[in-house]
mmCIF file of all heavy atoms in Angstrom:
data_model
loop_
_atom_site.group_PDB
_atom_site.id
_atom_site.type_symbol
_atom_site.label_atom_id
_atom_site.label_comp_id
_atom_site.label_asym_id
_atom_site.label_seq_id
_atom_site.Cartn_x
_atom_site.Cartn_y
_atom_site.Cartn_z
ATOM 1 N N GLY A 1402 2.647 9.800 -7.758
ATOM 2 C CA GLY A 1402 3.350 8.598 -7.344
ATOM 3 C C GLY A 1402 2.825 8.140 -5.992
ATOM 4 O O GLY A 1402 2.257 8.920 -5.227
ATOM 5 N N LEU A 1403 3.025 6.871 -5.673
ATOM 6 C CA LEU A 1403 2.383 6.307 -4.497
ATOM 7 C C LEU A 1403 2.896 6.914 -3.190
ATOM 8 O O LEU A 1403 2.108 7.391 -2.368
ATOM 9 C CB LEU A 1403 2.546 4.786 -4.476
ATOM 10 C CG LEU A 1403 1.663 4.087 -3.435
ATOM 11 C CD1 LEU A 1403 0.990 2.872 -4.003
ATOM 12 C CD2 LEU A 1403 2.485 3.704 -2.206
ATOM 13 N N GLU A 1404 4.198 6.912 -2.982
ATOM 14 C CA GLU A 1404 4.696 7.417 -1.705
ATOM 15 C C GLU A 1404 4.452 8.911 -1.515
ATOM 16 O O GLU A 1404 4.017 9.333 -0.432
ATOM 17 C CB GLU A 1404 6.173 7.070 -1.543
ATOM 18 C CG GLU A 1404 6.406 5.589 -1.288
ATOM 19 C CD GLU A 1404 7.846 5.268 -0.932
ATOM 20 O OE1 GLU A 1404 8.309 5.726 0.138
ATOM 21 O OE2 GLU A 1404 8.505 4.578 -1.733
ATOM 22 N N PRO A 1405 4.693 9.758 -2.517
ATOM 23 C CA PRO A 1405 4.354 11.178 -2.328
ATOM 24 C C PRO A 1405 2.873 11.394 -2.028
ATOM 25 O O PRO A 1405 2.526 12.295 -1.253
ATOM 26 C CB PRO A 1405 4.753 11.815 -3.663
ATOM 27 C CG PRO A 1405 5.837 10.922 -4.185
ATOM 28 C CD PRO A 1405 5.418 9.538 -3.785
ATOM 29 N N ALA A 1406 2.005 10.578 -2.634
ATOM 30 C CA ALA A 1406 0.574 10.709 -2.363
ATOM 31 C C ALA A 1406 0.268 10.324 -0.916
ATOM 32 O O ALA A 1406 -0.483 11.019 -0.214
ATOM 33 C CB ALA A 1406 -0.237 9.842 -3.325
ATOM 34 N N LEU A 1407 0.860 9.223 -0.454
ATOM 35 C CA LEU A 1407 0.615 8.797 0.926
ATOM 36 C C LEU A 1407 1.115 9.838 1.919
ATOM 37 O O LEU A 1407 0.491 10.068 2.961
ATOM 38 C CB LEU A 1407 1.300 7.457 1.192
ATOM 39 C CG LEU A 1407 0.781 6.246 0.425
ATOM 40 C CD1 LEU A 1407 1.525 4.987 0.856
ATOM 41 C CD2 LEU A 1407 -0.719 6.063 0.607
ATOM 42 N N GLU A 1408 2.235 10.468 1.614
ATOM 43 C CA GLU A 1408 2.799 11.468 2.515
ATOM 44 C C GLU A 1408 1.879 12.673 2.670
ATOM 45 O O GLU A 1408 1.940 13.373 3.691
ATOM 46 C CB GLU A 1408 4.168 11.910 2.010
ATOM 47 C CG GLU A 1408 5.235 10.823 2.171
ATOM 48 C CD GLU A 1408 6.501 11.117 1.402
ATOM 49 O OE1 GLU A 1408 6.532 12.160 0.707
ATOM 50 O OE2 GLU A 1408 7.448 10.307 1.476
ATOM 51 N N ARG A 1409 1.010 12.920 1.685
ATOM 52 C CA ARG A 1409 0.083 14.051 1.766
ATOM 53 C C ARG A 1409 -1.199 13.694 2.511
ATOM 54 O O ARG A 1409 -2.009 14.585 2.787
ATOM 55 C CB ARG A 1409 -0.292 14.526 0.356
ATOM 56 C CG ARG A 1409 0.871 15.115 -0.430
ATOM 57 C CD ARG A 1409 0.427 15.434 -1.844
ATOM 58 N NE ARG A 1409 1.555 15.848 -2.687
ATOM 59 C CZ ARG A 1409 1.618 17.005 -3.327
ATOM 60 N NH1 ARG A 1409 0.638 17.877 -3.209
ATOM 61 N NH2 ARG A 1409 2.658 17.299 -4.077
ATOM 62 N N THR A 1410 -1.384 12.424 2.822
ATOM 63 C CA THR A 1410 -2.649 11.999 3.414
ATOM 64 C C THR A 1410 -2.677 12.202 4.917
ATOM 65 O O THR A 1410 -1.663 12.120 5.602
ATOM 66 C CB THR A 1410 -2.926 10.510 3.140
ATOM 67 O OG1 THR A 1410 -1.898 9.714 3.753
ATOM 68 C CG2 THR A 1410 -2.992 10.231 1.660
ATOM 69 N N ASN A 1411 -3.872 12.449 5.399
ATOM 70 C CA ASN A 1411 -4.177 12.414 6.821
ATOM 71 C C ASN A 1411 -5.303 11.400 6.953
ATOM 72 O O ASN A 1411 -6.446 11.680 6.598
ATOM 73 C CB ASN A 1411 -4.616 13.796 7.317
ATOM 74 C CG ASN A 1411 -4.943 13.814 8.805
ATOM 75 O OD1 ASN A 1411 -5.202 12.793 9.423
ATOM 76 N ND2 ASN A 1411 -4.936 15.004 9.379
ATOM 77 N N GLY A 1412 -4.986 10.198 7.425
ATOM 78 C CA GLY A 1412 -6.040 9.199 7.472
ATOM 79 C C GLY A 1412 -5.581 7.875 8.025
ATOM 80 O O GLY A 1412 -4.466 7.727 8.527
ATOM 81 N N MET A 1413 -6.482 6.921 7.945
ATOM 82 C CA MET A 1413 -6.198 5.539 8.329
ATOM 83 C C MET A 1413 -6.506 4.672 7.116
ATOM 84 O O MET A 1413 -7.517 4.853 6.449
ATOM 85 C CB MET A 1413 -7.058 5.117 9.526
ATOM 86 C CG MET A 1413 -8.552 5.285 9.321
ATOM 87 S SD MET A 1413 -9.489 4.674 10.722
ATOM 88 C CE MET A 1413 -11.175 4.958 10.133
ATOM 89 N N PHE A 1414 -5.622 3.713 6.821
ATOM 90 C CA PHE A 1414 -5.852 2.960 5.595
ATOM 91 C C PHE A 1414 -4.977 1.723 5.513
ATOM 92 O O PHE A 1414 -3.917 1.629 6.135
ATOM 93 C CB PHE A 1414 -5.601 3.833 4.354
ATOM 94 C CG PHE A 1414 -4.254 4.500 4.355
ATOM 95 C CD1 PHE A 1414 -3.112 3.829 3.938
ATOM 96 C CD2 PHE A 1414 -4.118 5.812 4.793
ATOM 97 C CE1 PHE A 1414 -1.873 4.446 3.938
ATOM 98 C CE2 PHE A 1414 -2.879 6.444 4.796
ATOM 99 C CZ PHE A 1414 -1.753 5.750 4.373
ATOM 100 N N ALA A 1415 -5.457 0.780 4.746
ATOM 101 C CA ALA A 1415 -4.657 -0.317 4.209
ATOM 102 C C ALA A 1415 -5.020 -0.385 2.742
ATOM 103 O O ALA A 1415 -6.207 -0.455 2.391
ATOM 104 C CB ALA A 1415 -4.971 -1.632 4.914
ATOM 105 N N ILE A 1416 -4.017 -0.354 1.852
ATOM 106 C CA ILE A 1416 -4.301 -0.301 0.421
ATOM 107 C C ILE A 1416 -3.485 -1.343 -0.325
ATOM 108 O O ILE A 1416 -2.429 -1.784 0.131
ATOM 109 C CB ILE A 1416 -4.013 1.095 -0.171
ATOM 110 C CG1 ILE A 1416 -2.509 1.370 -0.203
ATOM 111 C CG2 ILE A 1416 -4.759 2.184 0.581
ATOM 112 C CD1 ILE A 1416 -2.127 2.584 -1.022
ATOM 113 N N ALA A 1417 -4.020 -1.715 -1.486
ATOM 114 C CA ALA A 1417 -3.271 -2.489 -2.470
ATOM 115 C C ALA A 1417 -3.456 -1.773 -3.802
ATOM 116 O O ALA A 1417 -4.595 -1.546 -4.238
ATOM 117 C CB ALA A 1417 -3.777 -3.920 -2.557
ATOM 118 N N ALA A 1418 -2.351 -1.391 -4.418
ATOM 119 C CA ALA A 1418 -2.391 -0.624 -5.667
ATOM 120 C C ALA A 1418 -1.573 -1.339 -6.729
ATOM 121 O O ALA A 1418 -0.376 -1.568 -6.554
ATOM 122 C CB ALA A 1418 -1.852 0.791 -5.434
ATOM 123 N N TRP A 1419 -2.231 -1.689 -7.833
ATOM 124 C CA TRP A 1419 -1.570 -2.380 -8.939
ATOM 125 C C TRP A 1419 -1.112 -1.353 -9.967
ATOM 126 O O TRP A 1419 -1.904 -0.566 -10.502
ATOM 127 C CB TRP A 1419 -2.527 -3.376 -9.584
ATOM 128 C CG TRP A 1419 -2.078 -3.918 -10.909
ATOM 129 C CD1 TRP A 1419 -2.631 -3.670 -12.140
ATOM 130 C CD2 TRP A 1419 -0.972 -4.801 -11.152
ATOM 131 N NE1 TRP A 1419 -1.952 -4.333 -13.119
ATOM 132 C CE2 TRP A 1419 -0.927 -5.041 -12.548
ATOM 133 C CE3 TRP A 1419 -0.022 -5.408 -10.323
ATOM 134 C CZ2 TRP A 1419 0.034 -5.859 -13.130
ATOM 135 C CZ3 TRP A 1419 0.932 -6.223 -10.915
ATOM 136 C CH2 TRP A 1419 0.959 -6.451 -12.289
ATOM 137 N N ASP A 1420 0.189 -1.335 -10.236
ATOM 138 C CA ASP A 1420 0.783 -0.452 -11.234
ATOM 139 C C ASP A 1420 0.924 -1.246 -12.528
ATOM 140 O O ASP A 1420 1.816 -2.078 -12.670
ATOM 141 C CB ASP A 1420 2.155 0.021 -10.740
ATOM 142 C CG ASP A 1420 2.814 1.019 -11.689
ATOM 143 O OD1 ASP A 1420 2.323 1.174 -12.825
ATOM 144 O OD2 ASP A 1420 3.813 1.630 -11.288
ATOM 145 N N ARG A 1421 0.042 -0.981 -13.482
ATOM 146 C CA ARG A 1421 0.019 -1.726 -14.737
ATOM 147 C C ARG A 1421 1.302 -1.532 -15.538
ATOM 148 O O ARG A 1421 1.812 -2.477 -16.149
ATOM 149 C CB ARG A 1421 -1.174 -1.265 -15.576
ATOM 150 C CG ARG A 1421 -1.346 -1.986 -16.907
ATOM 151 C CD ARG A 1421 -2.288 -1.217 -17.812
ATOM 152 N NE ARG A 1421 -1.738 0.110 -18.123
ATOM 153 C CZ ARG A 1421 -2.397 1.056 -18.783
ATOM 154 N NH1 ARG A 1421 -3.641 0.828 -19.177
ATOM 155 N NH2 ARG A 1421 -1.840 2.221 -19.036
ATOM 156 N N ASP A 1422 1.852 -0.318 -15.504
ATOM 157 C CA ASP A 1422 3.028 -0.030 -16.317
ATOM 158 C C ASP A 1422 4.264 -0.779 -15.828
ATOM 159 O O ASP A 1422 5.051 -1.296 -16.630
ATOM 160 C CB ASP A 1422 3.310 1.476 -16.325
ATOM 161 C CG ASP A 1422 2.248 2.250 -17.078
ATOM 162 O OD1 ASP A 1422 1.336 1.613 -17.646
ATOM 163 O OD2 ASP A 1422 2.316 3.495 -17.080
ATOM 164 N N ARG A 1423 4.462 -0.843 -14.512
ATOM 165 C CA ARG A 1423 5.657 -1.487 -13.959
ATOM 166 C C ARG A 1423 5.406 -2.938 -13.553
ATOM 167 O O ARG A 1423 6.323 -3.625 -13.135
ATOM 168 C CB ARG A 1423 6.142 -0.697 -12.740
ATOM 169 C CG ARG A 1423 6.565 0.724 -13.049
ATOM 170 C CD ARG A 1423 6.842 1.501 -11.767
ATOM 171 N NE ARG A 1423 7.930 0.873 -10.986
ATOM 172 C CZ ARG A 1423 8.028 0.942 -9.667
ATOM 173 N NH1 ARG A 1423 7.096 1.570 -8.969
ATOM 174 N NH2 ARG A 1423 9.037 0.372 -9.044
ATOM 175 N N ARG A 1424 4.162 -3.376 -13.638
ATOM 176 C CA ARG A 1424 3.774 -4.727 -13.228
ATOM 177 C C ARG A 1424 4.200 -4.986 -11.783
ATOM 178 O O ARG A 1424 4.842 -5.981 -11.462
ATOM 179 C CB ARG A 1424 4.374 -5.770 -14.171
ATOM 180 C CG ARG A 1424 3.854 -5.683 -15.597
ATOM 181 C CD ARG A 1424 4.485 -6.732 -16.474
ATOM 182 N NE ARG A 1424 4.072 -8.076 -16.080
ATOM 183 C CZ ARG A 1424 4.633 -9.195 -16.557
ATOM 184 N NH1 ARG A 1424 5.643 -9.118 -17.407
ATOM 185 N NH2 ARG A 1424 4.204 -10.384 -16.160
ATOM 186 N N ILE A 1425 3.823 -4.061 -10.931
ATOM 187 C CA ILE A 1425 4.145 -4.150 -9.509
ATOM 188 C C ILE A 1425 2.876 -3.903 -8.696
ATOM 189 O O ILE A 1425 2.121 -2.959 -8.972
ATOM 190 C CB ILE A 1425 5.229 -3.123 -9.118
ATOM 191 C CG1 ILE A 1425 6.578 -3.527 -9.711
ATOM 192 C CG2 ILE A 1425 5.347 -2.985 -7.607
ATOM 193 C CD1 ILE A 1425 7.684 -2.538 -9.409
ATOM 194 N N LEU A 1426 2.657 -4.749 -7.719
ATOM 195 C CA LEU A 1426 1.598 -4.529 -6.746
ATOM 196 C C LEU A 1426 2.233 -3.929 -5.496
ATOM 197 O O LEU A 1426 3.224 -4.443 -4.980
ATOM 198 C CB LEU A 1426 0.890 -5.842 -6.386
ATOM 199 C CG LEU A 1426 -0.218 -5.717 -5.330
ATOM 200 C CD1 LEU A 1426 -1.445 -5.034 -5.930
ATOM 201 C CD2 LEU A 1426 -0.581 -7.081 -4.753
ATOM 202 N N VAL A 1427 1.647 -2.848 -4.991
ATOM 203 C CA VAL A 1427 2.182 -2.191 -3.802
ATOM 204 C C VAL A 1427 1.137 -2.252 -2.693
ATOM 205 O O VAL A 1427 -0.017 -1.850 -2.889
ATOM 206 C CB VAL A 1427 2.561 -0.728 -4.075
ATOM 207 C CG1 VAL A 1427 3.215 -0.117 -2.841
ATOM 208 C CG2 VAL A 1427 3.495 -0.628 -5.276
ATOM 209 N N LEU A 1428 1.547 -2.772 -1.539
ATOM 210 C CA LEU A 1428 0.714 -2.744 -0.344
ATOM 211 C C LEU A 1428 1.249 -1.656 0.583
ATOM 212 O O LEU A 1428 2.453 -1.466 0.694
ATOM 213 C CB LEU A 1428 0.752 -4.079 0.401
ATOM 214 C CG LEU A 1428 0.425 -5.355 -0.377
ATOM 215 C CD1 LEU A 1428 0.432 -6.553 0.574
ATOM 216 C CD2 LEU A 1428 -0.909 -5.247 -1.099
ATOM 217 N N ALA A 1429 0.349 -0.954 1.266
ATOM 218 C CA ALA A 1429 0.781 0.080 2.209
ATOM 219 C C ALA A 1429 -0.217 0.156 3.355
ATOM 220 O O ALA A 1429 -1.418 -0.093 3.175
ATOM 221 C CB ALA A 1429 0.903 1.434 1.522
ATOM 222 N N ARG A 1430 0.322 0.521 4.501
ATOM 223 C CA ARG A 1430 -0.498 0.620 5.712
ATOM 224 C C ARG A 1430 -0.292 1.995 6.346
ATOM 225 O O ARG A 1430 0.783 2.588 6.231
ATOM 226 C CB ARG A 1430 -0.089 -0.479 6.696
ATOM 227 C CG ARG A 1430 -1.084 -0.724 7.807
ATOM 228 C CD ARG A 1430 -0.672 -1.926 8.629
ATOM 229 N NE ARG A 1430 -1.588 -2.135 9.749
ATOM 230 C CZ ARG A 1430 -1.296 -2.842 10.822
ATOM 231 N NH1 ARG A 1430 -0.098 -3.436 10.909
ATOM 232 N NH2 ARG A 1430 -2.163 -2.983 11.797
ATOM 233 N N ASP A 1431 -1.316 2.496 7.014
ATOM 234 C CA ASP A 1431 -1.251 3.844 7.571
ATOM 235 C C ASP A 1431 -0.189 3.969 8.655
ATOM 236 O O ASP A 1431 0.379 2.987 9.122
ATOM 237 C CB ASP A 1431 -2.620 4.271 8.117
ATOM 238 C CG ASP A 1431 -3.111 3.369 9.244
ATOM 239 O OD1 ASP A 1431 -2.488 3.372 10.319
ATOM 240 O OD2 ASP A 1431 -4.110 2.659 9.049
ATOM 241 N N ARG A 1432 0.076 5.189 9.054
ATOM 242 C CA ARG A 1432 1.224 5.506 9.900
ATOM 243 C C ARG A 1432 1.225 4.731 11.223
ATOM 244 O O ARG A 1432 2.274 4.288 11.681
ATOM 245 C CB ARG A 1432 1.252 7.006 10.186
ATOM 246 C CG ARG A 1432 1.560 7.859 8.940
ATOM 247 C CD ARG A 1432 1.300 9.325 9.223
ATOM 248 N NE ARG A 1432 1.654 10.178 8.086
ATOM 249 C CZ ARG A 1432 0.847 10.434 7.066
ATOM 250 N NH1 ARG A 1432 -0.373 9.868 7.016
ATOM 251 N NH2 ARG A 1432 1.229 11.220 6.083
ATOM 252 N N LEU A 1433 0.071 4.600 11.856
ATOM 253 C CA LEU A 1433 0.015 3.944 13.160
ATOM 254 C C LEU A 1433 -0.649 2.576 13.117
ATOM 255 O O LEU A 1433 -0.916 1.969 14.160
ATOM 256 C CB LEU A 1433 -0.716 4.850 14.162
ATOM 257 C CG LEU A 1433 -0.034 6.191 14.437
ATOM 258 C CD1 LEU A 1433 -0.807 6.991 15.488
ATOM 259 C CD2 LEU A 1433 1.407 6.013 14.884
ATOM 260 N N GLY A 1434 -0.919 2.075 11.928
ATOM 261 C CA GLY A 1434 -1.441 0.723 11.805
ATOM 262 C C GLY A 1434 -2.862 0.551 12.292
ATOM 263 O O GLY A 1434 -3.209 -0.493 12.853
ATOM 264 N N GLU A 1435 -3.708 1.543 12.044
ATOM 265 C CA GLU A 1435 -5.108 1.423 12.457
ATOM 266 C C GLU A 1435 -5.846 0.354 11.647
ATOM 267 O O GLU A 1435 -6.736 -0.313 12.166
ATOM 268 C CB GLU A 1435 -5.817 2.771 12.310
ATOM 269 C CG GLU A 1435 -5.355 3.828 13.285
ATOM 270 C CD GLU A 1435 -6.189 5.082 13.186
ATOM 271 O OE1 GLU A 1435 -7.395 5.026 13.487
ATOM 272 O OE2 GLU A 1435 -5.645 6.132 12.784
ATOM 273 N N LYS A 1436 -5.494 0.218 10.391
ATOM 274 C CA LYS A 1436 -6.146 -0.774 9.537
ATOM 275 C C LYS A 1436 -5.206 -1.960 9.309
ATOM 276 O O LYS A 1436 -4.028 -1.783 9.018
ATOM 277 C CB LYS A 1436 -6.533 -0.141 8.187
ATOM 278 C CG LYS A 1436 -7.630 0.905 8.315
ATOM 279 C CD LYS A 1436 -8.899 0.319 8.920
ATOM 280 C CE LYS A 1436 -10.009 1.349 9.016
ATOM 281 N NZ LYS A 1436 -11.212 0.787 9.656
ATOM 282 N N PRO A 1437 -5.722 -3.167 9.407
ATOM 283 C CA PRO A 1437 -4.864 -4.360 9.307
ATOM 284 C C PRO A 1437 -4.574 -4.757 7.868
ATOM 285 O O PRO A 1437 -5.353 -4.460 6.954
ATOM 286 C CB PRO A 1437 -5.714 -5.433 10.000
ATOM 287 C CG PRO A 1437 -7.135 -5.014 9.695
ATOM 288 C CD PRO A 1437 -7.125 -3.510 9.718
ATOM 289 N N LEU A 1438 -3.441 -5.444 7.681
ATOM 290 C CA LEU A 1438 -3.095 -5.971 6.365
ATOM 291 C C LEU A 1438 -2.107 -7.128 6.528
ATOM 292 O O LEU A 1438 -1.043 -6.962 7.124
ATOM 293 C CB LEU A 1438 -2.494 -4.872 5.484
ATOM 294 C CG LEU A 1438 -2.384 -5.181 3.983
ATOM 295 C CD1 LEU A 1438 -3.740 -5.567 3.398
ATOM 296 C CD2 LEU A 1438 -1.804 -3.987 3.226
ATOM 297 N N TYR A 1439 -2.490 -8.292 6.010
ATOM 298 C CA TYR A 1439 -1.697 -9.514 6.137
ATOM 299 C C TYR A 1439 -1.276 -10.006 4.748
ATOM 300 O O TYR A 1439 -1.985 -9.787 3.766
ATOM 301 C CB TYR A 1439 -2.520 -10.608 6.831
ATOM 302 C CG TYR A 1439 -2.965 -10.255 8.225
ATOM 303 C CD1 TYR A 1439 -4.200 -9.656 8.454
ATOM 304 C CD2 TYR A 1439 -2.157 -10.520 9.328
ATOM 305 C CE1 TYR A 1439 -4.616 -9.323 9.737
ATOM 306 C CE2 TYR A 1439 -2.566 -10.198 10.610
ATOM 307 C CZ TYR A 1439 -3.794 -9.602 10.812
ATOM 308 O OH TYR A 1439 -4.198 -9.281 12.079
ATOM 309 N N TRP A 1440 -0.128 -10.700 4.704
ATOM 310 C CA TRP A 1440 0.327 -11.235 3.426
ATOM 311 C C TRP A 1440 1.102 -12.535 3.626
ATOM 312 O O TRP A 1440 1.600 -12.811 4.713
ATOM 313 C CB TRP A 1440 1.186 -10.225 2.672
ATOM 314 C CG TRP A 1440 2.466 -9.836 3.347
ATOM 315 C CD1 TRP A 1440 2.651 -8.855 4.278
ATOM 316 C CD2 TRP A 1440 3.762 -10.417 3.139
ATOM 317 N NE1 TRP A 1440 3.969 -8.781 4.658
ATOM 318 C CE2 TRP A 1440 4.676 -9.736 3.974
ATOM 319 C CE3 TRP A 1440 4.244 -11.440 2.314
ATOM 320 C CZ2 TRP A 1440 6.041 -10.043 4.019
ATOM 321 C CZ3 TRP A 1440 5.603 -11.762 2.355
ATOM 322 C CH2 TRP A 1440 6.474 -11.067 3.192
ATOM 323 N N MET A 1441 1.178 -13.310 2.549
ATOM 324 C CA MET A 1441 1.919 -14.569 2.581
ATOM 325 C C MET A 1441 2.356 -14.937 1.173
ATOM 326 O O MET A 1441 1.784 -14.454 0.178
ATOM 327 C CB MET A 1441 1.062 -15.701 3.162
ATOM 328 C CG MET A 1441 -0.160 -16.055 2.323
ATOM 329 S SD MET A 1441 -1.077 -17.469 2.982
ATOM 330 C CE MET A 1441 0.138 -18.780 2.746
ATOM 331 N N ARG A 1442 3.373 -15.791 1.098
ATOM 332 C CA ARG A 1442 3.811 -16.345 -0.178
ATOM 333 C C ARG A 1442 3.467 -17.819 -0.218
ATOM 334 O O ARG A 1442 3.508 -18.526 0.793
ATOM 335 C CB ARG A 1442 5.309 -16.157 -0.344
ATOM 336 C CG ARG A 1442 5.746 -14.706 -0.349
ATOM 337 C CD ARG A 1442 7.198 -14.571 -0.734
ATOM 338 N NE ARG A 1442 7.425 -15.044 -2.106
ATOM 339 C CZ ARG A 1442 8.566 -14.861 -2.761
ATOM 340 N NH1 ARG A 1442 9.569 -14.231 -2.182
ATOM 341 N NH2 ARG A 1442 8.712 -15.311 -3.976
ATOM 342 N N GLN A 1443 3.122 -18.290 -1.411
ATOM 343 C CA GLN A 1443 2.936 -19.720 -1.667
ATOM 344 C C GLN A 1443 4.008 -20.132 -2.669
ATOM 345 O O GLN A 1443 3.888 -19.853 -3.865
ATOM 346 C CB GLN A 1443 1.545 -19.996 -2.228
ATOM 347 C CG GLN A 1443 0.421 -19.813 -1.212
ATOM 348 C CD GLN A 1443 -0.924 -20.134 -1.816
ATOM 349 O OE1 GLN A 1443 -1.539 -19.304 -2.485
ATOM 350 N NE2 GLN A 1443 -1.387 -21.356 -1.586
#
């Protein structure tokens, strides 16, 4: 699962993960925000 996997990581990251089964896109950013990630709605 996404959150348990992130909790095991030691790193810097910005990710977008598409879950085909639940039809959900998940964005996540590393603990201290080393990598940037922006979003908006239209």
Side-chain angles (χ1 to χ4, degrees):
L1403 192 135
E1404 288 188 65
L1407 294 183
E1408 289 167 358
R1409 294 175 187 237
T1410 62
N1411 180 340
M1413 56 176 182
F1414 53 82
I1416 70 168
W1419 167 249
D1420 183 348
R1421 181 196 62 187
D1422 291 356
R1423 298 172 60 209
R1424 295 180 67 190
I1425 289 178
L1426 178 73
V1427 184
L1428 306 184
R1430 196 173 177 200
D1431 61 67
R1432 292 169 177 85
L1433 297 182
E1435 291 186 64
K1436 292 301 182 182
L1438 194 56
Y1439 299 92
W1440 63 274
M1441 64 176 294
R1442 299 189 63 170
Q1443 289 181 277

